[in-house]
Amino acid sequence: ETGVTQTPRHLVMGMTNKKSLKCEQHLGHNAMYWYKQSAKKPLELMFVYNFKEQTENNSVPSRFSPECPNSSHLFLHLHTLQPEDSALYLCASSQGLAGGRETQYFGPGTRLLVL
Amino acid sequence: AQTVTQSQPEMSVQEAETVTLSCTYDTSENNYYLFWYKQPPSRQMILVIRQEAYKQQNATENRFSVNFQKAAKSFSLKISDSQLGDTAMYFCAFQAQKLVFGQGTRLTINP
């Protein structure tokens, strides 16, 4: 596998379910990101991890819980979501966080539908 | 706060034509990077081209080139000899610390 992979690609869940999204990068990068892409809105940065440490939480509700066990893997744990949380969730990685210099590479996304 | 504006929600051209997508941004930063990403129906966000603000020379990647006007805070993307596979959403993005995206332009290449 190359690049950034995400599983599952599609997910349907009820508001009382608990599910997890998985992201894996095969680029040897140290920084990983979660973004939310909703219809007719720009991509919204959710979380940033650098060397497994969370460096940014962009005021994300606690029903979204990230986990980064190592520099290659990033999870997003979901529980008691709302229908407005339905969106495409994109994972990205970059070599580091050196200001604006680092290019981010994206995974294919997980399309989430909350019923 | 930085903002990125793409004023063309949708564009459509014939195959083999040249098309230019517009992007403007607002920032007080002097050192930053600009990107164009492509998101085809598969939803994979793919890097098309990158420009360093300190470089006056416009970036080029095969059929893709940019017109970077730093004083005007403008960063347009030109696609030459457009192909059916270029059909996608195109996002302009700015990065000084965080990566900030525009709303996107839906480009359709017609046969």
Side-chain angles (χ1 to χ4, degrees), chain B residues 15 38-41 46 63-64 82-88 90 107 109:
Chain B
E15 192 176 8
K38 165 186 175 181
Q39 189 178 39
I46 301 165
R63 297 182 295 107
F64 299 87
S82 58
Q83 300 175 0
L84 297 179
D86 295 333
T87 293
Y90 285 81
L107 176 65
I109 310 299

Side-chain angles (χ1 to χ4, degrees), chain A residues 9 35 37 40-43 56 58 88 90 99-104 106-108 111, chain B residues 32-33 35 37 39 42-47 50 91 95-99 101-103:
Chain A
R9 294 294 308 275
Y35 287 87
Q37 186 179 25
K40 302 190 185 300
K41 292 176 69 174
L43 269 75
E56 184 145 357
N58 203 25
L88 182 70
L90 291 166
R101 194 164 64 237
E102 303 291 350
T103 298
Q104 293 183 30
F106 286 79
R111 170 68 66 188
Chain B
Y32 51 86
Y33 295 77
F35 305 86
Y37 283 91
Q39 189 178 39
S42 66
R43 297 293 183 180
Q44 178 90 46
M45 192 76 77
I46 301 165
L47 177 68
R50 161 189 151 126
F91 292 94
Q95 181 168 267
Q97 301 300 327
K98 299 180 190 180
L99 189 59
F101 285 84
Q103 292 269 22

Side-chain angles (χ1 to χ4, degrees), chain B residues 67-88:
Chain B
N67 183 2
F68 173 47
Q69 302 290 329
K70 190 172 184 180
K73 297 180 181 174
S74 170
F75 183 61
S76 61
L77 175 70
K78 185 172 83 170
I79 306 174
S80 303
D81 186 25
S82 58
Q83 300 175 0
L84 297 179
D86 295 333
T87 293

